Amino acid sequence: MVPSFRQIQAFLAVATHLKFTRAAEELHISQPALTVQINQLELALSIKLFNRTKRRVSLTAAGQDLLPLFERISADMDNVMTASSDISQARRGVVRIATLPSVASRILPITLAKFSETHPNIRVRIRDVVAEEIIEMVKSEVVDFGIGTRLTPDKEIKVENFLTDYICAFYQRGHPIEAAPKVLKMTDCVPYPLILTQQNSSVRVLFERAMAREGAEVEIAAEANYMSTALGMVRAGLGVAILPMSAIDAGNALGLGYRQIDAPWLNRRVGLVRKASRTLSPVAEHFIKALHEVAGSLPNTTFRTTKRSEPSV
């Protein structure tokens, strides 16, 4: 038999008061019920814990030896209850997030600033990586959830709609594309050398799919891992960069022009990515709620928010 925590509490109460009546009152149980708890504990341990007479109760030598151990167990359980309450109420804990750099540069900093005001003891750890890495980090549970795109079907994850990030062409002022309509078509970009993100990025995958739909071939002038690098290449006159509109917030866009590209299949849908078989902690759920609140309060010039609904598998 393994002693129960209730039996340990009964032992500690009797050891404190050395009276069964007082101990029973503290535990809000009857004296016979308390006696049963002590008897069961002694039976489980095969040790007599108390010397009992009609007038006096005292700890045996074995009871005195075990007292500090039982006190430690009780203190540890109190710590467990306090910690679990703090976690469930999002008073403490850690949130680990993998996110697209475009989201990390705008929505996340604002969310972090507001979240830290109301949840000062929550630590938020962020990894800004490309879409494929986000999916792998979520599936391997390196992070609690991701903010990214699902480019291929995957039953191991579920994605909750969050934002739509428009894809744009960024160019030097005075570039011929500046004379094109304010909203471009894919064919308007074809004549010019293009600067694209690397092949494992969500924007690159969407762009190549769009080109395949159009049956068009393009000249790729350069590739870059970071949007700020791609914009620097535009500034240097290497070509037109195909980037999400959120690149405006990534830095290095000052002085450059941009046009939204009108192609529904090109717009990047950004979602909250979770592992299908995993339940998120209350702390992570609180942070997701904060993300929605911030996204809903921002001007829709960069992102279009998606009304929160049940996660889609």
Side-chain angles (χ1 to χ4, degrees), residues 187-242:
T187 51
D188 294 326
C189 303
V190 171
Y192 309 108
L194 299 181
I195 300 164
L196 304 177
T197 51
Q198 295 287 352
Q199 290 188 338
N200 61 344
S201 70
S202 57
V203 174
R204 178 66 174 270
V205 172
L206 291 172
F207 179 77
E208 289 182 349
R209 288 178 182 175
M211 287 290 96
R213 283 174 177 264
E214 296 284 346
E217 294 185 4
V218 297
E219 176 190 349
I220 300 177
E223 297 177 337
N225 278 325
Y226 300 101
M227 292 187 292
S228 57
T229 304
L231 293 172
M233 292 176 176
V234 173
R235 193 179 305 282
L238 297 180
V240 174
I242 306 300

Side-chain angles (χ1 to χ4, degrees), residues 163-182:
L163 302 165
T164 296
D165 196 2
Y166 299 109
I167 303 301
C168 298
F170 287 80
Y171 53 86
Q172 275 187 321
R173 294 293 185 184
H175 190 281
I177 205 171
E178 195 166 28
K182 288 186 177 181

